[in-house]
Amino acid sequence: MIHGSSAPVESDTWQTLLARSVTDPAALLDRLQLHDSLLDPARGAAQDFPLRVPEPYIARMRRGDPDDPLLRQVLPIGEELLDQPGYVTDPLGEQHANARPGIIHKYHGRLLLVVSAGCAVNCRYCFRRHFPYDDNNLSTAEWQEALDYIRADASIREVIYSGGDPLAANDKRLAWLTREIANIPHVMRLRVHTRLPVVIPQRVTAGLIDALCGTRLPVTMVLHCNHANELDPSLEQAVHTLRSAGIMMLNQAVLLRGVNDQLEDQIALSERLADSGIMPYYLHILDHVKGARHFLVGDDQAIRLVGQMLTRLPGFLVPRLVREIAGERSKVPLVVQPVE
Ligand SMILES: *Cc1c(COP(=O)(O)O)cnc(C)c1O
Ligand code: SF4
């Protein structure tokens, strides 16, 4: 970027905001005027999986409310350290589907590329919280191998940028990769699974649009918003920019106890998404990942909740309720009937 010498104060770049993310539990509690009693558990659980949350996301949390739905997604708490039978470090068996560095090829026609190991935010319920990302930081030679893998398999119609968070990679890397993929004739679609614009809307720059939209491939972006409060005007503006560039916008959420498990939460989320130009796509049943048991919403409650959504919302604003089962050929939908 070129700055004139007399430029007014520049707003922070996404890289600065990313680097300045809050990682110290005491700083987060202080910032939100929360009670010190939350500190010891937060420090304990953060040893297992660090706290990490960028400022623009914190700005959408309510002060003084330990039950804030955005805070609950990122604040480490003591319950994470309880041993819960059946909650394991790799519930989806991805460490096995990860046959080559950087590639997860589980589903027909679609291939997931781990473009960047890092995330801008550490979500406490994440099924990848124990994933060995360090093994997935690719060298240039390994990138070539990943591209060779796609070239050699004509059944791959869609490439999905994933992570970590793929938008933690810089625009230059994304532009190079997208050009290489667009040069593979059998690839017809590009998809980006990201939470970064949600927590740092400033990530949506002209350079990013050029990197993603500069080829023949149509682009779909699947955001990850769990609560209507995440959709503030700065995110809506970023989504508007992405849509104006022709990117189709979808959302996937995770059903989380104490965050979005009430009917009104889900209706508000779908309505806010629609108003922002984003279609609800998936609502995921929590994966049984170690340390996340306290977020679980049981199947019966989940099916009833989405059944109630069916009678309150137009069909296209009701997400598909799905679960991932290791070894299955796709995500598995739960059968939902309308509930008054
Ligand atoms: C969810 C997912 C996909 C994409 O699945 P769709 O049902 O096409 O959205 C691809 N690969 C992996 C590993 C996934 O988890
Ligand atoms: S941004 Fe996505 S991959 Fe990263 S911690 Fe959150 S849920 Fe997990």
Side-chain angles (χ1 to χ4, degrees):
M1 244 188 288
I2 298 164
H3 300 286
S5 55
S6 62
V9 179
E10 290 282 334
S11 53
D12 290 323
T13 65
W14 68 272
Q15 289 95 338
T16 309
L17 290 162
L18 188 61
R20 276 205 224 121
S21 293
V22 172
T23 53
D24 173 9
L28 181 62
L29 296 180
D30 188 50
R31 170 84 171 67
L32 293 171
Q33 296 151 24
L34 289 168
H35 202 266
D36 284 349
S37 60
L38 297 168
L39 186 55
D40 274 352
R43 287 214 167 114
Q47 282 180 1
D48 200 35
F49 181 53
L51 166 74
R52 181 175 181 83
V53 54
E55 178 58 35
Y57 194 69
I58 300 173
R60 291 167 234 168
M61 296 175 187
R62 293 187 290 259
R63 305 284 160 278
D65 181 1
D67 297 325
D68 178 86
L70 279 55
L71 177 70
R72 279 186 62 89
Q73 296 178 55
V74 300
L75 180 69
I77 58 172
E79 278 93 330
E80 293 178 28
L81 300 173
L82 301 176
D83 224 347
Q84 299 285 359
Y87 284 72
V88 298
T89 54
D90 181 21
L92 306 181
E94 280 199 342
Q95 287 169 31
H96 305 290
N98 196 213
R100 284 166 197 248
I103 287 179
I104 300 174
H105 195 184
K106 287 203 300 195
Y107 297 156
H108 184 82
R110 289 148 291 171
L111 175 132
L112 207 139
L113 269 184
V114 180
V115 172
S116 163
C119 281
V121 59
N122 283 348
C123 310
R124 307 315 296 178
Y125 50 84
C126 183
F127 74 94
R128 293 201 173 118
R129 56 183 283 168
H130 308 281
F131 202 69
Y133 282 122
D134 292 346
D135 301 346
N136 278 287
N137 264 329
L138 302 197
S139 65
T140 306
E142 284 171 326
W143 274 118
Q144 290 299 349
E145 269 180 53
L147 290 164
D148 286 343
Y149 181 96
I150 301 170
R151 276 183 205 108
D153 185 346
S155 76
I156 298 169
R157 308 278 292 172
E158 178 170 23
V159 172
I160 303 173
Y161 290 173
S162 182
D165 198 306
L167 297 192
N170 65 39
D171 294 340
K172 211 172 136 198
R173 156 63 53 87
L174 290 168
W176 172 79
L177 190 59
T178 305
R179 276 195 308 271
E180 291 291 315
I181 290 166
N183 282 335
I184 303 173
H186 55 260
V187 176
M188 301 308 288
R189 292 183 299 275
L190 179 67
R191 201 186 325 175
V192 183
H193 281 189
T194 177
R195 186 147 159 82
L196 221 155
V198 177
V199 296
I200 306 179
Q202 291 85 344
R203 177 65 188 92
V204 179
T205 59
L208 177 68
I209 300 290
D210 289 347
L212 295 178
C213 301
T215 76
R216 69 181 172 88
L217 298 172
V219 182
T220 301
M221 183 173 286
V222 183
L223 291 180
H224 173 181
C225 289
N226 294 319
H227 195 279
N229 292 1
E230 292 172 42
L231 288 144
D232 76 340
S234 64
L235 176 53
E236 288 175 325
Q237 181 57 49
V239 170
H240 179 76
T241 303
L242 293 161
R243 277 165 48 85
S244 299
I247 300 179
M248 177 157 70
M249 299 299 296
L250 305 176
N251 185 65
Q252 55 181 339
V254 184
L255 184 53
L256 298 166
R257 184 143 60 95
V259 173
N260 59 12
D261 57 340
Q262 300 301 307
L263 178 62
E264 297 312 320
D265 298 327
Q266 286 295 332
I267 288 175
L269 175 59
S270 276
E271 300 266 13
R272 275 312 281 270
L273 288 168
D275 294 346
S276 310
I278 309 166
M279 286 300 108
Y281 179 32
Y282 281 140
L283 180 62
H284 291 265
I285 297 276
L286 185 81
D287 297 311
H288 286 198
V289 65
K290 193 168 181 287
R293 168 76 175 78
H294 56 285
F295 283 118
L296 183 71
V297 176
D299 283 8
D300 290 349
Q301 190 188 335
I303 289 168
R304 190 181 151 73
L305 180 66
V306 179
Q308 289 173 311
M309 291 175 79
L310 275 177
T311 60
R312 290 279 302 269
L313 290 167
F316 69 94
L317 293 187
V318 181
R320 269 162 264 187
L321 181 64
V322 293
R323 174 195 333 276
E324 287 216 46
I325 299 176
E328 283 293 333
R329 301 297 294 149
S330 77
K331 299 191 203 305
V332 179
L334 282 73
V335 177
V336 175
Q337 298 293 340
V339 177
E340 274 305 329

